[in-house]
Amino acid sequence: MTRIHISIPVADLEQSVGFYSRFLGHAPSKLKGDYANFRLDSPPLHLALTPKAGPSEATGDLHFGVEVADAPALEAWRSRMDPAGLIESTEEGTTCCYAVANKVWTRDPDGNSWEVWHRLEDAETRNAPAASDCGA
């Protein structure tokens, strides 16, 4: 199994574990007093959470995303996120990063943004007027 590995420093490990358990729909694969990880097959992800090393360690300005295969997959994410109160915003047919997509956005406890999106088609422009910053 090939997985992307991302490690995110967090201010409050317990709070972040709760958020990511709801967002990803899975309990952590490993949980220690100073570490947690989520090893998922779908999406193929190994997400590690570690306490911030100190106040100088930056958090909150990162952008991550999960591209899903189709509209039903996006709806499955939306259906899990909505009752958990995780949806910050949605976008339908938005142009961003030379693609038109439907998106659901959330933000983790440290302020990092996550988008779950389904690409509808390619676009000739990077962003539509008044579009989000694409998290880039």
Side-chain angles (χ1 to χ4, degrees), residues 8 30 34 52 58 64 66 83 105 123:
I8 302 174
K30 186 179 289 183
D34 62 349
K52 286 175 48 172
F64 305 100
V66 178
W105 288 88

Side-chain angles (χ1 to χ4, degrees), residues 5-24 26-39 45-53 57 59 62 64 108-110 112 114:
H5 172 68
I6 299 171
S7 183
I8 302 174
V10 299
D12 183 318
L13 185 62
E14 184 178 338
Q15 183 180 23
S16 293
V17 166
F19 169 84
Y20 282 103
S21 295
R22 292 186 311 275
F23 177 60
L24 297 171
H26 294 277
S29 303
K30 186 179 289 183
L31 181 59
K32 304 291 184 182
D34 62 349
Y35 179 83
N37 79 33
F38 296 82
R39 296 183 76 229
L45 174 67
H46 178 196
L47 175 66
L49 306 176
T50 58
K52 286 175 48 172
E57 188 168 11
T59 60
L62 303 175
F64 305 100
D108 75 9
D110 288 286
N112 299 306
W114 280 85

Side-chain angles (χ1 to χ4, degrees), residues 87-128:
I87 296 178
E88 184 174 276
S89 65
T90 60
E91 296 175 321
E92 300 292 325
T94 191
T95 299
C96 175
C97 301
Y98 297 96
V100 178
N102 292 339
K103 302 179 178 194
V104 178
W105 288 88
T106 192
R107 193 168 300 276
D108 75 9
D110 288 286
N112 299 306
S113 51
W114 280 85
E115 65 176 314
V116 181
W117 83 95
H118 169 235
R119 189 181 64 80
L120 303 171
E121 62 187 2
D122 287 335
E124 294 300 317
T125 58
R126 181 165 182 227
N127 295 333

Side-chain angles (χ1 to χ4, degrees), residues 44-82:
L45 174 67
H46 178 196
L47 175 66
L49 306 176
T50 58
K52 286 175 48 172
S56 63
E57 188 168 11
T59 60
D61 293 327
L62 303 175
H63 164 225
F64 305 100
V66 178
E67 182 178 5
V68 297
D70 52 32
L74 182 60
E75 184 54 35
W77 278 81
R78 186 186 327 245
S79 294
R80 183 177 64 252
M81 292 169 64
D82 190 34

